[in-house]
Amino acid sequence: MAKQAEKHLAASPAELETYYREMLYIRHFEEKCNFAYRQGKAGGYLHVYIGMEPLAVGWLNSIRKGYDHVITAYRDHGHALLLGSDPVAVMAEIMGRSGGLSRGKGGSMHLYDIDKGFYGGWGIVGGHVAMGAGLAFSAKYREEDRVVLCYLGDGASNAGVWFETLNMCGLWDLPIVFIIENNEFAMGTRLEYHAADTELWKRGLPFDIKSERIDGMDVLQQKVDAQRIIDYVRKEQKPYLVEVMTYRFAGHGAADNDRQLYRTKEEEEHAMLRDPIKLLEKYLIQHNVMNHEKMEAIEEEILKEVDRIYDEADASPFPDLPEVYDNVYSDMSVEEGH
Amino acid sequence: MAKQAEKHLAASPAELETYYREMLYIRHFEEKCNFAYRQGKAGGYLHVYIGMEPLAVGWLNSIRKGYDHVITAYRDHGHALLLGSDPVAVMAEIMGRSGGLSRGKGGSMHLYDIDKGFYGGWGIVGGHVAMGAGLAFSAKYREEDRVVLCYLGDGASNAGVWFETLNMCGLWDLPIVFIIENNEFAMGTRLEYHAADTELWKRGLPFDIKSERIDGMDVLQQKVDAQRIIDYVRKEQKPYLVEVMTYRFAGHGAADNDRQLYRTKEEEEHAMLRDPIKLLEKYLIQHNVMNHEKMEAIEEEILKEVDRIYDEADASPFPDLPEVYDNVYSDMSVEEGH
Amino acid sequence: MAFAVASYRDTVRQTLIEEMDRDQDVFLIGEDIGRYQGTFKVTAGLFDKYGAKRVVDTPITEPGIVGIATGAAMTGLRPVVEMMTMSFSILALDQIINHAAKVHYMTGGQSTVPMVIRGPSGAANQLSAQHSHSMEGWFAHCPGLKVVAPSTPACAKGLLKTAIRDNNPVIFTENPGLYGVKGEVPDDLDFTIPFGKARIAREGKDLSLVAYSRMVHVCLAAAEELAKDGIDVEVVDVRSLLPMDTETIYGSVAKTHRAVVVYEDWKSGGFGAEIAARIGEDCFDDLDAPVGRVGGLNVPMPYTRILELECIPNEKDVIAAVRKIS
Amino acid sequence: MAFAVASYRDTVRQTLIEEMDRDQDVFLIGEDIGRYQGTFKVTAGLFDKYGAKRVVDTPITEPGIVGIATGAAMTGLRPVVEMMTMSFSILALDQIINHAAKVHYMTGGQSTVPMVIRGPSGAANQLSAQHSHSMEGWFAHCPGLKVVAPSTPACAKGLLKTAIRDNNPVIFTENPGLYGVKGEVPDDLDFTIPFGKARIAREGKDLSLVAYSRMVHVCLAAAEELAKDGIDVEVVDVRSLLPMDTETIYGSVAKTHRAVVVYEDWKSGGFGAEIAARIGEDCFDDLDAPVGRVGGLNVPMPYTRILELECIPNEKDVIAAVRKIS
Ligand SMILES: Cc1ncc(C[n+]2csc(CCOP(=O)(O)OP(=O)(O)O)c2C)c(N)n1
Ligand SMILES: Cc1ncc(C[n+]2csc(CCOP(=O)(O)OP(=O)(O)O)c2C)c(N)n1
Ligand SMILES: [Mg+2]
Ligand SMILES: [Mg+2]
């Protein structure tokens, strides 16, 4: 009977559990990040991926981890976690500790784990996309079949440098996937107020780049689409543009606490009907892959794990003052003092 | 018999003669500019419109001169002349004289005649297009039915700021026509080497902007297309994008004297078979609008006129040294000296 | 003239309202300034008051925004561009310094660009390396621009009105740390402060602290400390970097014979170097000690608070610099 | 070590060849550098020699080019980006100063950006306001970048090799007026000059002229003139602005007790102000006269030749500044 079900499964039970665990893990990890912010243990800008988890889970399970390269903007916690960064180092970075991924110098927006193929973690809207193409340029230069995933927001998809980049990617056939996270908002500005045509997938058309729009809430469908597209790019050595339709459940950042300025409660509730985690739970139950008890057990486990991560990170030290001068250059110290 | 012909004419004989005179005028005026450069009377960068005259004649005869606004890059002599600038002041500017349009401070690349609606005359590739949209923004803000013509090159059509501008023009319905002068080269780089898709008209598609490609060598057809498009923009108050297929007969600039680095003599000769002036002459003769004698007479007249302009400009004085400090601010002088 | 106590933020906002009411050609354009009320809430309520025509929400495209504002200004409109933070003006530098700033000169005086670009410049609170730039020095180096950096609500009002009424491109820098600062503000609708006039923020005879924007307050705090030890410092609020009132600065140095220039920007190559170089050259005979400088550490801004605080000059740093030459 | 006489242009070109032969990870990218041979012909012949893979012709999109080079560099490639003129680097400043320059710091030392951005900086011949910027000062203000401005072919070779082999982003500025300058160049394939080492271009005892790039030659010419009147000036070629060799500069001033800083950039706020401010502060007791400065006029560059020549400092301007404090 479970066997029976398996036939019709979109993925193996083990994979399904992995996706479930990963989405839940990102969700609770980031709830904890927001908690840290409210506690004053994280500062500055802090942006969560809540509601958008399938963009991390679907795509990062379709690449060759550690070999392929990933780059995104500041909504980057989930990417670091799924690419295998030490979660304590991620939380420590968000808390500005010396044990953080970037030694406390980057913060939530600037997570990097180069050894794991994660190139950040950037704060300037649209600023990282050309660097993403540079990663792909390098793969091609070295004749390696590496694929680059470059995420950007709907707001970022208006940035001039991105179009310049699309042109060069199309011109030179660079192996990169541009993933537009269309969560319908750029900070407090709704899509319709910042994009002349809200079908952002069309932006690849002038550059002879294959482009399409997909759903972002069904993680299983997204996994299938992601694998298809990544395989295409790796094989054909051509760029690809995907617009993923999702929704930013939270405010823009932890400091954005008046969402009613730009959207109604009703709209939010309507969007949350398609909470990707709930959708997957429904699927798992319908297909007898998991029951409620199992799910609760997993959630328990993850909550404990996240608590441990938080406590360990919180117990770790801040940088020593002299570290302020480290890492400006790889080989040279800077003049000290005011 | 002439009456007979008139029925089938694309324009009245008077208009046809005007177009002919204007194209010939620009051609000879710019030959003279190149002469001035060779004489060392013009310096820096000097770019001629030779072969591209219909882009000035066709479009600038379709606007409300003095009311509509025009902005372009550095290939700007023809625009100033047709918009009614004093030709001696144009030549004087190119020669760096105080009587020049910009008092000798701009030179060939930076011609402006604001009273005539000519907003220049810019040197940074792609840099002027957002200002062009600003002119249209102003027309809309003031609820005037002014149309803006914004010319840019095929090379400029890759510039990020232009895509940002297209998005805002589409988003806000700004009354502007973007005219891509596709002369197949960006300096020494052929279209295929700088554009992922050589059909540049497609660049308006992601922004819900009406876009098309037209021929740039037949001035009569271009006049018809220009009028149609300008009327549309004025009436509908929406942006429009036109890719005009033309060819740069000369080198990139007066200093570019090795065109064989990027194209063959054969290619050039082939392109010159469609010299817009020759095409119009053929038409005028076929339709009995003008005979060779008349044409030669007109050319004689124009050559004389251009000689006069050159001599007058050349006889005009250079700026006085203290003028170097003028016009930095409209209301304030600057600190002097080194 | 009557006064009212108001915060720096509310004063900038109120001044925008007064100028928009005065002149229909004045409009605001920027990211999230309308429906979202502005990231630092400086434009709160203005979208409802003036509508989408005069409070223009834009895509996140700084080069395009500034270019559009420049073109509009060339036709006589008076755009006030908000940079969500001045760090983002870096994307638009080509449009600002290589276009807007040069229009009047390149057109031989035919055209002007009555545009104001305003926004917070300098470090806020843990915004990290890409969001914490002090930009005023970059702009003050560029002929064709005017650059101001007011430190008090009253100066903000007077200089913003002058900026909006000026026919040249003006960079109006606010500092995130100043928005909450309160002060007395004249309610005169035509209260303007001319550019190029510095202000003596505190009188003193022993040494001149020369600063602008938020650092003026740091200097004033340091001055109080130093006063306890009998060191009586004068604080010169430069206010306007381009044009700059060297006369007032030199006058102060002629009186005190000592000077320390204080600025938040990276110390090396910041505009404080220009001020120090001028004092050193033009006040040579008045000086009893080398011209000191206190600037930000020459490192990208780190995220973690303790390191960030290390980077930004504070009272202690100023006091140390003063003692060094006293 | 053997020497050969070569022009600055050919030396830069030859150095690129040597480094490309030495290291397959080195590649060139820029506008019209390949098929067109480069606007200033610095890359003449390299496209034929190395092909489209290592000599990459690009669209005219400086932000994208620098961003792509930065990303490639983060993976260990060593791009050498040509800016057709440094004036166009203004479009890419966000990618340069707010991305490339901060990678090493923001990643906590995980990543480096071994990239060189080179090209002509300063006025050429009547290229007008938008094409005549001196950019080195803007870059030298930015931590994370290294900035050099060699004045001779030999320095160009030594510093370009160091730049290409450096693991940090380096801005290598040439001056259009230098390409034709000839000089002796060591033919050693590993001839490098460390960053942060100034050069005494001419020994003298009466006054120190401090300059870099083309202005070094202007200073040397002025020195010859002054020598005729018995004024023996020393010329310090700073060469490397970030890091900067203050030791050599201060040593010269300690000897001569007088200094004039000479630079082509707009005088106000140019990097010469930083140099002057440092001398003024750190050599206070050595100085017998105020530190003089000679800089470009504070105006956008005009087109017409006579006004353009007015803007750029020349021997006469330097001589006048020297006499003023001698
Ligand atoms: C160049 C630039 N301008 C403005 C900002 C401020 N800002 C940060 S995030 C953001 C909204 C971006 O929206 P989007 O690209 O859709 O990404 P999302 O936050 O929705 O993931 C803005 C305006 C910035 N960081 N960089
Ligand atoms: C931002 C910038 N980069 C490079 C240049 C140098 N440049 C001047 S014209 C030109 C080619 C432009 O080609 P295109 O846009 O097709 O115009 P065309 O010259 O063909 O009319 C280049 C590379 C510049 N002026 N501005
Ligand atoms: Mg978004
Ligand atoms: Mg072209």
Side-chain angles (χ1 to χ4, degrees), chain B residues 74-75 123-125 153-156 181 183 185-187 248 252, chain D residues 31-32 60 62 84 88 91 131:
Chain B
Y74 43 82
R75 217 173 278 284
I124 298 300
V125 168
D154 50 288
E181 305 161 321
N183 59 13
F185 294 91
M187 203 172 264
R248 195 190 73 207
H252 169 69
Chain D
E31 297 157 7
D32 285 306
I60 308 162
E62 290 79 5
M84 195 179 277
F88 309 144
L91 284 94
H131 287 71

Side-chain angles (χ1 to χ4, degrees), chain A residues 194-214:
Chain A
H194 73 65
D197 184 333
T198 56
E199 293 188 48
L200 304 177
W201 64 274
K202 293 181 181 171
R203 295 177 176 210
L205 300 181
F207 310 103
D208 193 25
I209 293 176
K210 251 176 174 277
S211 308
E212 67 183 85
R213 171 184 267 192
I214 68 172

Side-chain angles (χ1 to χ4, degrees), chain B residues 69 93 101-103 105-106 110-115 118-119 121-124 126-135 137-143 161 164-165 167-169 171-172 174 323-332 334-335, chain C residues 24-27 29 53-54 56-72 74-77 94-95 98-101 103-112 142-146 166-169 242-243 246 278:
Chain B
H69 289 165
E93 185 59 37
L101 275 182
S102 306
R103 306 178 59 182
K105 286 175 168 152
H110 303 299
L111 301 175
Y112 305 85
D113 200 334
I114 304 297
D115 294 342
F118 186 44
Y119 281 79
W122 298 90
I124 298 300
H128 66 288
V129 295
M131 289 184 288
L135 301 173
F137 180 96
S138 173
K140 182 168 184 170
Y141 187 95
R142 292 186 157 150
E143 289 160 25
V161 66
E164 297 182 352
T165 301
N167 184 49
M168 287 188 267
C169 290
L171 189 61
W172 299 332
L174 301 185
E323 290 182 42
V324 74
Y325 296 111
D326 298 342
N327 310 129
V328 179
Y329 298 97
S330 66
D331 57 3
M332 177 176 109
V334 296
E335 293 173 281
Chain C
Q24 295 298 309
D25 286 339
V26 176
F27 69 96
I29 182 166
K53 177 185 174 181
R54 296 184 67 193
V56 185
D57 276 325
T58 68
I60 307 162
T61 50
E62 290 80 5
I65 295 164
V66 171
I68 284 181
T70 303
M74 286 176 79
T75 70
L77 293 183
D94 176 66
Q95 289 292 320
N98 218 4
H99 289 84
V103 165
H104 194 61
Y105 200 78
M106 293 202 305
T107 61
Q110 289 183 68
S111 186
T112 58
C142 181
L145 297 177
K146 297 183 183 183
D166 196 287
N167 282 331
N168 303 278
L242 179 57
T246 46
R278 288 184 188 226

Side-chain angles (χ1 to χ4, degrees), chain A residues 52 74-75 152-156 181-187 189 194 248 252:
Chain A
M52 302 166 67
Y74 43 81
R75 217 173 278 284
L152 64 150
D154 50 287
E181 304 161 319
N182 187 348
N183 59 13
E184 290 186 40
F185 294 90
M187 204 172 262
T189 300
H194 73 65
R248 195 190 72 210
H252 169 68

Side-chain angles (χ1 to χ4, degrees), chain C residues 37-56:
Chain C
Q37 314 295 309
T39 326
F40 285 89
K41 302 291 176 244
V42 172
T43 53
L46 300 191
F47 183 83
D48 295 341
K49 192 167 171 19
Y50 297 101
K53 177 185 174 181
R54 296 184 67 193
V55 181
V56 185

